[in-house]
Amino acid sequence: ILFISGAQRSGTTMVEQILNTHPEFYITHELDWLHVLNCVNGAIYHPRHTSRRVLQFNGDYISLIEILYKRSTTKEISVIGDKLPNYVYSFDVLHKFFPGAKHLFCLRNPLDVVNSMISRAYDRKIGLDRGWDVDLDLETMCSKVNDAYENFLKFRDAHPDEIYVIKYEKITQNPIPEMDLLSKFIECSNNFDVRSIKPGKKSREYL
């Protein structure tokens, strides 16, 4: 099981797309496994008598999600996971319900991250980007980047073998050796197609 996280605009979507080029990987786009857990628990308990179980579920969320994934694709998959930047704020919860899962933390120059946030916010205001629904001020943007990194450091200190840092600048400039290292962390073959990776672009400078 893999979780991809990091501050918004740090390359999480790019990493998700790269991983999905592997024939045995199925990484969903912001499915939000914690939301799935809430839905499962909502189905288990009586809608009005919340202490009464309707279904006798033993709490094996991993097996349940594996079934959902494997029945959603025709590929023979061996690695499943989800990409959601906000997982960086829920490391402890994910560790509790999915022990042994591996985490990929995407790290990018914070100035470029904030600049990219400003760029998307600007595009949204002029109607060019309907996918960006977060209207953040500059201080909040900087705080989110800082909080993401601090949460990463805290989790890495507690579980160093469960998290790996993917640096945006390295993977966009020289992807092959970076994917070799990532494959060793995941313990899989390096059958990723990196041809879609484009060299890092210079952000539009609103700062």
Side-chain angles (χ1 to χ4, degrees):
I1 293 176
L2 282 177
F3 293 109
I4 304 171
S5 67
Q8 290 174 304
R9 314 305 302 153
S10 60
T12 56
T13 298
M14 177 186 66
V15 172
E16 169 206 332
Q17 293 171 346
I18 296 171
L19 294 182
N20 276 327
T21 65
H22 195 290
E24 298 179 4
F25 278 53
Y26 186 16
I27 310 297
T28 46
H29 181 82
E30 301 184 2
L31 176 63
D32 191 349
W33 283 25
L34 298 181
H35 173 68
V36 173
L37 297 190
N38 287 332
C39 291
V40 170
N41 289 330
I44 291 172
Y45 291 94
H46 193 281
R48 288 192 295 272
H49 306 288
T50 55
S51 62
R52 184 190 305 171
R53 282 195 175 194
V54 178
L55 300 174
Q56 296 303 313
F57 179 62
N58 64 1
D60 186 1
Y61 295 101
I62 295 177
S63 295
L64 179 62
I65 289 181
E66 284 179 343
I67 291 173
L68 293 175
Y69 271 67
K70 290 181 178 180
R71 293 188 179 181
S72 298
T73 180
T74 57
K75 296 198 303 183
E76 292 292 330
I77 55 176
S78 60
V79 177
I80 62 174
D82 188 47
K83 167 262 177 180
L84 183 68
N86 283 349
Y87 282 143
V88 73
Y89 307 112
S90 305
F91 281 141
D92 290 340
V93 178
L94 293 171
H95 180 74
K96 175 182 178 181
F97 287 100
F98 304 102
K102 295 188 175 182
H103 298 262
L104 305 181
F105 178 76
C106 298
L107 182 64
R108 185 182 184 186
N109 184 313
L111 294 178
D112 290 335
V113 171
V114 173
N115 205 36
S116 183
M117 288 181 177
I118 294 173
S119 174
R120 288 203 64 176
Y122 175 80
D123 286 346
R124 179 197 178 204
K125 289 179 180 179
I126 64 176
L128 295 179
D129 189 346
R130 298 182 181 274
W132 184 256
D133 58 358
V134 181
D135 192 11
L136 305 175
D137 57 45
L138 181 59
E139 183 177 355
T140 304
M141 291 178 185
C142 294
S143 294
K144 289 181 74 67
V145 174
N146 184 68
D147 291 345
Y149 188 66
E150 287 188 349
N151 286 351
F152 153 70
L153 291 177
K154 181 180 177 181
F155 186 78
R156 186 192 63 178
D157 290 343
H159 308 283
D161 296 331
E162 297 181 15
I163 192 162
Y164 181 83
V165 179
I166 299 178
K167 294 185 177 180
Y168 179 90
E169 292 78 12
K170 285 189 175 182
I171 201 168
T172 54
Q173 298 297 333
N174 197 13
I176 294 178
E178 291 303 310
M179 295 311 298
D180 284 336
L181 294 173
L182 180 58
S183 299
K184 291 179 180 179
F185 172 73
I186 301 175
E187 298 180 332
C188 69
S189 59
N190 186 359
N191 290 333
F192 301 102
D193 185 352
V194 298
R195 290 176 295 178
S196 62
I197 302 178
K198 298 179 181 179
K201 299 179 180 178
K202 184 178 180 180
S203 302
R204 288 179 290 175
E205 296 179 359
Y206 292 100
L207 291 176

